Amino acid sequence: MKSKMRIDPEKFAYTVISSYSSDKDNAEAVAKDHLGLFLNAYFLAEKFNTLEAQLAEKAESKDFKALLAKLMDTKLFG
């Protein structure tokens, strides 16, 4: 089946804020913008990792594999 994908939340958050430019005019407001964006990106990556792990776990179940086999037999996918 497919391999698990995992995003490093810290690296992802740093990448997101490194390309962000705040339109605020004072240093504290800029810092707050970046901090808010960093935290949102970090927790979004963690949420993705959790969902990906759950999906990978379900993908390994016999029921999922049987359903996938039935779908492939319908010739809708090739």
Side-chain angles (χ1 to χ4, degrees), residues 49-69:
N49 289 337
T50 300
L51 292 172
E52 172 69 8
Q54 291 171 352
L55 179 62
E57 185 178 303
K58 288 180 182 176
E60 292 302 316
S61 74
K62 290 179 184 177
D63 292 337
F64 182 82
K65 288 180 180 180
L67 178 61
L68 187 59

Side-chain angles (χ1 to χ4, degrees), residues 11-54:
K11 286 181 182 177
F12 178 73
Y14 278 119
T15 301
V16 169
I17 66 167
S18 71
S19 64
Y20 176 70
S21 179
S22 177
D23 60 354
K24 302 294 192 296
D25 43 344
N26 73 51
E28 185 176 341
V30 171
K32 286 180 181 178
D33 278 355
H34 279 81
L35 180 58
L37 184 59
F38 182 91
L39 292 172
N40 277 307
Y42 187 95
F43 290 119
L44 180 62
E46 282 195 334
K47 186 175 184 178
F48 171 85
N49 289 337
T50 300
L51 292 172
E52 172 69 8
Q54 291 171 352

